[in-house]
Amino acid sequence: MKGFPDTRSFLARYFPVFMGTIFMAIFSGSAAVSTAGVTYLRGVDPALKSGSSGAAILVLVTVLVFGNLMIARGYLWATKLVAGYLACCLLFVLPMILYGINPLVYASAVLFPLLGLLLLNSKRHREMRHKLLEIRRLRQALHARYKAR
């Protein structure tokens, strides 16, 4: 395609920041769910705690996968979904300081969503989203031209 780099250079430039955001979101969700077990849910039956943790992980993974898939498809609104995911993880973890959680665990549970939001707002991630939007528009134009025949 004219004006677009080849796949190798595109991935070399944007894949690390894309995957970094995904990993920070995974770490954020897992830190939020695992620390919830020792703070908010500390008096709950272990079987119920395990079931609710599993359900929470399932919901978080679904939201994260859908949001990043839509970003990769060129939909800009999905950035708000991933940012909301990271913000919810952060807001969920912040009050846990009142429970006397280990400072290192707490710091990492706060740091992961903040780093994810930083990566999501980075210049390189914004460039990638813009290029993916252009590719989606070109794909739609080709599809419309093919359908018109």
Side-chain angles (χ1 to χ4, degrees):
M1 286 186 272
K2 184 181 174 188
F4 287 102
D6 62 319
T7 305
R8 182 174 298 231
S9 64
F10 182 85
L11 289 177
R13 177 151 175 87
Y14 300 118
F15 190 70
V17 74
F18 185 70
M19 288 308 297
T21 305
I22 291 172
F23 280 122
M24 287 303 111
I26 290 169
F27 296 155
S28 298
S30 63
V33 170
S34 63
T35 54
V38 296
T39 56
Y40 300 138
L41 303 175
R42 66 178 170 214
V44 176
D45 179 48
L48 181 60
K49 191 186 305 186
S50 173
S52 61
S53 295
I57 289 289
L58 185 62
V59 169
L60 290 174
V61 166
T62 303
V63 170
L64 182 62
V65 167
F66 178 72
N68 282 298
L69 183 64
M70 291 296 105
I71 288 174
R73 295 286 294 170
Y75 294 97
L76 297 181
W77 57 264
T79 306
K80 293 177 184 170
L81 182 67
V82 175
Y85 170 96
L86 290 165
C88 286
C89 288
L90 179 63
L91 292 174
F92 184 74
V93 167
L94 281 177
M96 289 182 187
I97 195 146
L98 300 174
Y99 289 88
I101 191 170
N102 182 322
L104 185 61
V105 172
Y106 181 76
S108 64
V110 169
L111 186 65
F112 291 142
L114 288 175
L115 286 174
L117 287 167
L118 182 67
L119 284 172
L120 197 61
N121 193 38
S122 69
K123 181 180 178 183
R124 192 166 290 190
H125 204 284
R126 283 184 270 133
E127 286 175 9
M128 178 194 68
R129 291 192 308 261
H130 179 69
K131 294 238 187 245
L132 290 170
L133 175 65
E134 289 179 28
I135 291 170
R136 180 173 66 92
R137 288 183 177 154
L138 283 172
R139 193 172 50 241
Q140 288 173 338
L142 286 173
H143 183 70
R145 201 166 80 188
Y146 177 74
K147 284 287 225 186
R149 289 185 180 184

